[in-house]
Amino acid sequence: MLVLSAVTGQRRGTFAFRGDFTGQPFADLLLGYPFTASRVVGKGVETGRAFWHGYYLNDDWKASRKLTLNFGVRYEYVSPLLDVLNRRSTFYPLVNDYNTGLPGQVVIANSNEAKSLLGLSGVGARAVYKPDRNNFGPRVGFAYSLNNKTVVRGGYGIFFTNSQNFVNNFVINRRQPPFAETQSITSSTATPQIDIADPFGKALAPLVIATQNINPNFIEGYTQQWNLTIQRELKGGISLDAGYVANKGTKLGELTFYNIPTLGSTATIQQRRPFPAWGTALSLDPYVTSNYHSLQMKAQKRFARGLTFLTAYTWAKSIDLSSERGAGDRGGGFDTGGGDVRNLRGYSRALSGFDIRQRFVGSYVYALPFGKGKYWGGWDVSGISQFQGGFPFSVVMSADVNGDGKWDLIHNGADKSEQHVTESFLETYLGDHTKGFRTVLGA
């Protein structure tokens, strides 16, 4: 497939050629017959306003000669992003349900619909999503000396995300009707309906308007982090640390798709949408969960007889619904490769994109025993060595075979039996290139 995009922001359009009419994408390009065309027209949010507040209290208490306690609490408030001229809007309702009985519409900031349909008021009605004002994060920690060579440490805390930077870029760089529109056209696969000479003015296919939204119920996500470690001083000036380190993410923000059709022919995508008069509604939603558990060990030798070293080993596993925006091999969520939008938690749960099961790092310095003053002669050998396992990945097809308007991801995380891409399936599409190839998407 060939994709032509003239400039950032799609002011001059983006065109995709798949080879539907000649069998070859480049031949379709030469004839000027794209399968899809899209562009942005109008002017959207350019005078955005938002505020961030952060307050904290912290105290250390030495309860005894051996025990030290640490207590703290932090409060954060990220105000919703509004536009000074109220040029904000959102699609309503943000669902993939065919049985709402609603026609689908755009709700404008600070309008009666924003207050009645979405139940918003004040800054929430102007931003078209509610403010989140209850983000208190407690923290507690301790250190206990078992003896003069052994210390046990532990801690727990809640940490909230700060979506302000992403929300600013997402809202200001995206365009929302009626102030601006992302227009798209999809041609029939049988007969060309878009002419690149005048793709939007003379297209035979219907013009569809897509929307970019922040869910009216968006809230800041948070992670719970905890650890328990023990440190022991050994003979020879060696210090050994061993600990359990973990965290759990809840209601983390990620992009997802609404108004997506069920599976069917690519020729009838628009007719099969829950709201056929509208295109895809992209939305920032707080639905992602994650968890990480690890054994972490560290050994350090103080400088003696010309040698010092630091080694660290981690044995860990991380699972989530989405690890990184916009990449289909990052655990799910906003995967350009066709996740099941009606079952995100069941479909997208998989190994994190950054998951590395085992990792070893060693650094060392050895002062060579020659030269003036021997160990202090100024010559030494040093280095850093790192050994680790590989990253998980997903297999994405650069085509919309299932007819849901997005590229397809060869994965079904909801069914454990299908979490391995079968060799027979890969051989069908890749032939001899699949020898020795296998990917695990979740376990």
Side-chain angles (χ1 to χ4, degrees):
M1 183 171 71
L2 296 176
V3 178
L4 300 183
S5 182
V7 293
T8 302
Q10 299 187 6
R11 289 294 181 182
R12 296 184 181 178
T14 296
F15 309 92
F17 301 84
R18 307 192 315 176
D20 293 271
F21 312 111
T22 65
Q24 294 294 330
F26 191 70
D28 282 5
L29 169 64
L30 294 178
L31 293 175
Y33 294 147
F35 175 67
T36 63
S38 63
R39 68 174 178 178
V40 172
V41 295
K43 180 177 288 189
V45 176
E46 293 184 350
T47 53
R49 295 289 186 272
F51 300 92
W52 172 78
H53 302 266
Y55 309 92
Y56 72 93
L57 294 172
N58 188 77
D59 188 36
D60 290 326
W61 176 40
K62 194 168 182 62
S64 69
R65 184 175 59 86
K66 291 187 174 184
L67 178 63
T68 300
L69 300 175
N70 176 274
F71 302 95
V73 63
R74 183 179 180 88
Y75 173 75
E76 295 188 18
Y77 172 58
V78 180
S79 70
L81 176 68
L82 56 83
D83 179 63
V84 172
L85 301 177
N86 290 331
R87 290 178 298 191
R88 287 291 322 279
S89 65
T90 191
F91 184 78
Y92 175 82
L94 288 172
V95 296
N96 285 304
D97 186 1
Y98 286 86
N99 301 313
T100 62
L102 301 171
Q105 67 182 92
V106 167
V107 175
I108 299 174
N110 217 30
S111 64
N112 292 330
E113 289 82 3
K115 300 171 184 177
S116 60
L117 293 178
L118 305 181
L120 301 172
S121 61
V123 66
R126 296 189 65 188
V128 209
Y129 67 100
K130 68 181 184 181
D132 183 17
R133 296 192 174 101
N134 62 343
N135 298 332
F136 291 91
R139 291 95 189 269
V140 61
F142 75 92
Y144 181 74
S145 298
L146 295 176
N147 51 52
N148 61 350
K149 291 188 176 182
T150 307
V151 179
V152 178
R153 298 182 177 89
Y156 170 85
I158 295 179
F159 302 82
F160 285 88
T161 60
N162 185 338
S163 63
Q164 192 173 72
N165 288 337
F166 178 73
V167 167
N168 287 350
N169 293 330
F170 181 66
V171 171
I172 293 176
N173 292 337
R174 305 275 178 158
R175 308 305 182 209
Q176 191 77 338
F179 313 104
E181 293 180 352
T182 301
Q183 301 175 342
S184 61
I185 309 173
T186 301
S187 175
S188 164
T189 56
T191 305
Q193 295 179 304
I194 306 172
D195 188 343
I196 199 171
D198 191 2
F200 301 98
K202 295 183 179 179
L204 300 178
L207 188 67
V208 178
I209 299 175
T211 59
Q212 297 87 21
N213 314 270
I214 298 177
N215 195 300
N217 295 315
F218 178 80
I219 60 174
E220 294 291 340
Y222 64 92
T223 60
Q224 302 175 72
Q225 302 179 17
W226 61 93
N227 65 82
L228 179 65
T229 63
I230 183 169
Q231 183 180 48
R232 173 75 175 178
E233 183 179 352
L234 306 177
K235 293 181 179 180
I238 297 177
S239 174
L240 179 65
D241 294 55
Y244 165 59
V245 180
N247 65 65
K248 181 181 184 298
T250 304
K251 298 180 181 178
L252 305 177
E254 184 56 286
L255 300 175
T256 189
F257 298 95
Y258 290 104
N259 199 29
I260 297 298
T262 52
L263 307 186
S265 169
T266 56
T268 60
I269 289 176
Q270 197 57 37
Q271 298 95 305
R272 290 184 289 105
R273 294 184 185 274
F275 306 101
W278 296 89
T280 298
L282 183 62
S283 176
L284 177 62
D285 281 27
Y287 74 91
V288 173
T289 59
S290 67
N291 66 77
Y292 170 85
H293 299 275
S294 69
L295 167 66
Q296 299 184 12
M297 303 182 69
K298 181 177 70 173
Q300 182 174 7
K301 184 183 184 302
R302 295 191 298 270
F303 187 86
R305 296 186 178 183
L307 175 65
T308 180
F309 65 79
L310 173 64
T311 60
Y313 170 76
T314 301
W315 179 39
K317 185 174 183 179
S318 180
I319 296 177
D320 58 31
L321 299 186
S322 180
S323 308
E324 182 177 315
R325 294 182 183 93
D329 60 348
R330 295 305 188 193
F334 179 55
D335 67 304
T336 55
D340 184 353
V341 296
R342 292 173 174 82
N343 184 23
L344 287 174
R345 289 174 176 81
Y347 181 94
S348 299
R349 187 176 187 272
L351 297 176
S352 302
F354 54 79
D355 178 75
I356 298 176
R357 195 56 48 87
Q358 299 188 68
R359 187 169 188 262
F360 174 84
V361 179
S363 62
Y364 41 87
V365 178
Y366 178 61
L368 298 177
F370 56 79
K372 185 178 180 180
K374 291 189 177 180
Y375 291 122
W376 311 106
W379 294 91
D380 57 51
V381 176
S382 63
I384 300 176
S385 300
Q386 176 177 303
F387 304 90
Q388 67 180 43
F391 295 102
F393 63 93
S394 301
V395 181
V396 179
M397 301 177 65
S398 60
D400 180 22
V401 177
N402 64 12
D404 67 351
K406 303 188 279 99
W407 290 1
D408 295 330
L409 180 67
I410 309 173
H411 164 43
N412 184 352
D415 184 350
K416 293 295 183 182
S417 66
E418 295 184 19
Q419 286 187 346
H420 292 74
V421 178
T422 62
E423 294 176 0
S424 59
F425 184 92
L426 291 170
E427 289 173 0
T428 302
Y429 285 89
L430 302 178
D432 293 338
H433 297 291
T434 63
K435 291 181 178 180
F437 177 80
R438 198 166 184 84
T439 177
V440 180
L441 300 173

